[in-house]
Amino acid sequence: MSKIIIVGGVAGGATAAARLRRLDEHAEIIIFERGEHISFANCGLPYHIGGIIEDREELLLQTPESFHSQFNVVVRIQNEVLSIDRKNKTVKVKNIQTNETYTETYDKLILSPGGAPIKPPIDGINSEAVFTLRNVADTDLIKAYIQSHQPRSAVVVGGGFIGIEMAENLKDAGLDVSIIELADQVIAPLDIDMACDVHHYLRKKGISLYLNNGFKKIVEKIDGLTVELSNGTIETNMVILAIGVKPESQLAKDAGLNINSRGGILVDKQMRSSDPDIFAVGDVIEIIDFVTKQPAMIPLAGPANKQGRIAADNICGIPSEYSGTQGSAVIKIFDMTVAFTGVNEKTAKRLGLNYDKIFLWSPSHAGYYPNSKPMSIKVIFEKQSGKILGAQIVGFDGVDKRCDVLAVAIRAGMSANDLTQLELCYAPPYSSAKDPVNMAGFAIQNALTGKVKIFHWHDVDSLPRDGSVTLLDVRNPKEFAQGHINGFINIPLDSLRKHIGEIDRSRIVYVHCFSGMRSYIAARILMQNGFDVYNLSGGYRLYNSVKSN
């Protein structure tokens, strides 16, 4: 009978334990969890603070008792593994409640300690009004502080998943909320052109954004806190640190396992560490990016669950490999949904990939059916083949559905041509006969086959305004009057054929409309009349969103 010890529960560790038991009824399985809960919905913690998830018990997916009765797995909460003796295959454990230390032997060991919130060593960081959010205990502290102190305002440091979700839920709880972010945008996996829509929406919902601004110091005062920034100060009543997480890999490092420069445990495709009897899963490991094939650290719950299952399979003699993480994720921001998968443009550019991109402004469902809402879509593709490399979508209804389809397309190695052939469910309340995913395929296909040449928002300001090229806006006069790009002349699409003789055929034409659709039609008209034409992908809407950020 084999003995398997698992360090850490939640996504990776608990999944591994459950899979191990389903595969081997007779193995001895012990989970050591330093905290008070073995399996909880950590992604749901902000929503309990905001009151959307009212019952705290809903967050507790398993208790030690329920886990033992269902899976016959011994769960020792508030027991911290202090060290690993690889030679003798033992671990040293401390019972946090009694301070007793003891050892346990193992045949196989799975490390799933996760990641710890980053807490910078600055003045005031240990104030009782400064919080991090990792587990249920942290949630309890934040809720208790809000109930007892009735804070009027909060500062969230960091604009990632936790930071944005906490900002939303603190706002819903009645607080004035500010977000501080060192970068020039929130939600780092997005590119700046897609993040700008998020910025506009957050401000519309009353969230103050302090971008390109460092977090320097916290000063406690009688009536609250002063948060000092690289540029300015904010007066507030409480602070949530959501700067990011670092892998809790000290245990592995002390045991001599191979670790990368960021602290991630190195594992193979079977989730084995440099010690063949020790496996590691979840936020603590370095993975391979599915698209780029480069090493990366991507802390997500979905991959952690898969990795736990794969580790269990291999321990039980079932060949199983992890094929990489593509970073598919979705986040709710009030009524907005933001989703992304695969590589972003920042990564594609950094790695020198031969890529291009298209932007769409597509309705969530048929425009004639009530309450259709547009979504902003960016798709990154390989120039020669049209293979889909990444996608980002910002909108309201139907965002997650389209991003999931594109995530599958990336996993399956599909190209733009494949997207045009996808037969997706259609009825007016849910989609259009040509789904936005199909439309993305058509747009890329048109660019690859030369039916249209595209330029992008970041090219606009560098276009010459000396008359050597023609800058053409084909929106209607009312749209043009409400706002337009400097140097562009207005000839509405409906009258373009009538005025085509007024446009110099010897000059390159750069054309745009609101979203890129009407200007595509204009480009086709002009191209077939002998003009050299470029269409602005994403149109005036995207350009204006970025420039007004």
Side-chain angles (χ1 to χ4, degrees):
M1 183 176 70
S2 61
K3 182 176 181 180
I4 303 135
I5 285 178
I6 302 172
V7 180
V10 197
T15 295
R19 177 67 171 172
L20 283 166
R21 177 57 73 220
R22 291 194 296 270
L23 296 176
D24 186 348
E25 178 63 21
H26 305 293
E28 183 181 357
I29 305 169
I30 305 174
I31 300 178
F32 291 106
E33 170 55 52
R34 182 176 58 194
E36 298 178 24
H37 304 96
I38 180 60
S39 180
F40 59 90
N42 50 356
C43 295
L45 299 180
Y47 301 103
H48 179 52
I49 292 169
I52 294 174
I53 300 173
E54 295 182 3
D55 187 353
R56 177 182 181 275
E57 298 305 307
E58 294 291 331
L59 299 171
L60 306 179
L61 305 179
Q62 292 275 6
T63 65
E65 294 75 21
S66 67
F67 208 84
H68 183 268
S69 63
Q70 187 171 357
F71 296 108
N72 192 25
V73 169
V74 175
V75 177
R76 298 180 188 170
I77 59 172
Q78 294 188 293
N79 275 249
E80 180 179 8
V81 175
L82 301 176
S83 62
I84 302 168
D85 182 342
R86 291 167 52 194
K87 181 179 179 181
N88 295 305
K89 298 181 75 169
T90 62
V91 293
K92 183 179 180 181
V93 186
K94 177 183 178 181
N95 185 316
I96 295 172
Q97 292 178 305
T98 66
N99 285 324
E100 170 199 3
T101 59
Y102 60 98
T103 60
E104 284 283 355
T105 60
Y106 67 85
D107 295 306
K108 301 292 182 184
L109 176 64
I110 300 176
L111 300 178
S112 179
I118 295 172
K119 196 171 182 180
I122 64 171
D123 290 347
I125 201 73
N126 293 317
S127 165
E128 68 165 6
V130 177
F131 304 89
T132 58
L133 181 63
R134 183 190 185 191
N135 52 37
V136 177
D138 293 337
T139 307
D140 292 340
L141 286 173
I142 294 170
K143 280 190 72 71
Y145 186 85
I146 292 173
Q147 290 167 0
S148 62
H149 290 74
Q150 299 292 305
R152 299 180 305 279
S153 62
V155 165
V156 177
V157 184
F161 286 107
I162 295 297
I164 295 294
E165 290 170 350
M166 280 302 303
E168 173 190 350
N169 281 281
L170 289 169
K171 186 70 176 177
D172 285 345
L175 282 72
D176 291 329
V177 181
S178 302
I179 297 175
I180 303 168
E181 173 54 58
L182 183 61
D184 61 354
Q185 65 168 86
V186 300
I187 313 178
L190 290 179
D191 292 316
I192 184 65
D193 37 37
M194 301 299 285
C196 286
D197 281 348
V198 180
H199 297 165
H200 293 308
Y201 183 70
L202 283 169
R203 293 181 178 117
K204 180 181 176 182
K205 299 300 286 188
I207 305 293
S208 299
L209 295 182
Y210 293 79
L211 305 175
N212 282 313
N213 221 327
F215 171 56
K216 296 295 183 183
K217 184 179 181 182
I218 298 173
V219 179
E220 291 191 80
K221 303 191 306 181
I222 295 175
D223 58 346
L225 304 172
T226 298
V227 179
E228 295 188 7
L229 311 177
S230 301
N231 182 21
T233 61
I234 306 175
E235 303 298 323
T236 191
N237 300 120
M238 64 185 298
V239 172
I240 306 292
L241 298 178
I243 301 170
V245 297
K246 58 183 178 181
E248 291 233 58
S249 57
Q250 191 62 46
L251 185 64
K253 185 176 182 180
D254 291 344
L257 299 180
N258 291 344
I259 307 290
N260 70 13
S261 60
R262 296 173 60 187
I265 302 173
L266 302 184
V267 296
D268 61 16
K269 291 181 179 180
Q270 290 78 35
M271 314 316 299
R272 287 189 184 88
S273 71
S274 51
D275 184 318
D277 293 319
I278 301 178
F279 295 71
V281 302
D283 296 357
V284 76
I285 68 169
E286 175 186 275
I287 53 83
I288 298 299
D289 185 293
F290 177 80
V291 178
T292 67
K293 309 306 178 188
Q294 299 294 311
M297 302 282 292
I298 304 178
L300 293 170
N305 276 279
K306 295 177 181 68
Q307 293 154 13
R309 181 184 178 93
I310 289 167
D313 283 354
N314 284 290
I315 287 172
C316 293
I318 299 173
S320 185
E321 293 187 348
Y322 188 63
S323 58
T325 302
Q326 67 190 69
S328 300
V330 63
I331 179 172
K332 171 188 175 294
I333 310 173
F334 297 101
D335 295 325
M336 177 178 271
T337 301
V338 177
F340 42 84
T341 185
V343 298
N344 56 26
E345 187 175 1
K346 290 175 284 193
T347 301
K349 188 177 293 184
R350 176 173 56 83
L351 295 177
L353 303 184
N354 186 27
Y355 78 95
D356 205 346
K357 67 211 175 191
I358 55 99
F359 297 91
L360 301 172
W361 181 245
S362 295
S364 57
H365 59 252
Y368 59 83
Y369 189 88
N371 300 318
S372 176
K373 296 179 180 178
M375 62 183 82
S376 182
I377 302 174
K378 178 178 185 176
V379 180
I380 297 167
F381 59 94
E382 199 171 65
K383 270 187 178 179
Q384 290 181 322
S385 66
K387 182 180 178 181
I388 308 304
L389 302 176
Q392 302 164 44
I393 309 180
V394 178
F396 296 89
D397 296 337
V399 168
D400 54 336
K401 175 169 74 172
R402 275 51 181 239
C403 198
D404 280 342
V405 174
L406 289 164
V408 173
I410 292 170
R411 184 64 61 160
M414 290 183 177
S415 69
N417 289 338
D418 296 317
L419 296 188
T420 68
Q421 297 297 319
L422 290 178
E423 186 175 330
L424 302 172
C425 296
Y426 162 63
Y430 300 104
S431 184
S432 300
K434 290 183 288 189
D435 188 86
V437 173
N438 299 133
M439 294 301 295
F442 293 137
I444 297 170
Q445 195 179 62
N446 286 337
L448 292 175
T449 58
K451 291 182 177 61
V452 67
K453 293 191 285 188
I454 58 178
F455 70 112
H456 296 292
W457 63 267
H458 47 75
D459 302 318
V460 171
D461 291 346
S462 62
L463 293 175
R465 264 69 173 179
D466 58 3
S468 59
V469 300
T470 298
L471 306 179
L472 181 60
D473 181 335
V474 297
R475 297 176 299 157
N476 65 49
K478 183 177 180 181
E479 291 176 283
F480 185 82
Q482 289 174 343
H484 57 269
I485 304 173
N486 178 47
F488 279 72
I489 62 171
N490 183 218
I491 302 178
L493 174 62
D494 291 348
S495 58
L496 178 60
R497 289 182 178 89
K498 185 190 306 182
H499 295 279
I500 203 165
E502 302 168 16
I503 306 172
D504 189 341
R505 280 184 172 80
S506 69
R507 297 174 181 171
I508 297 173
V509 179
Y510 292 90
V511 60
H512 82 79
C513 65
F514 179 74
S515 68
M517 187 63 207
R518 283 173 290 173
S519 52
Y520 164 64
I521 297 170
R524 291 301 301 155
I525 293 170
L526 292 167
M527 288 174 71
Q528 293 176 84
N529 279 277
F531 291 86
D532 186 7
V533 187
Y534 288 81
N535 180 34
L536 179 59
S537 185
Y540 176 80
R541 190 214 71 83
L542 179 65
Y543 173 84
N544 190 54
S545 174
V546 177
K547 292 300 178 177
S548 63
N549 179 47

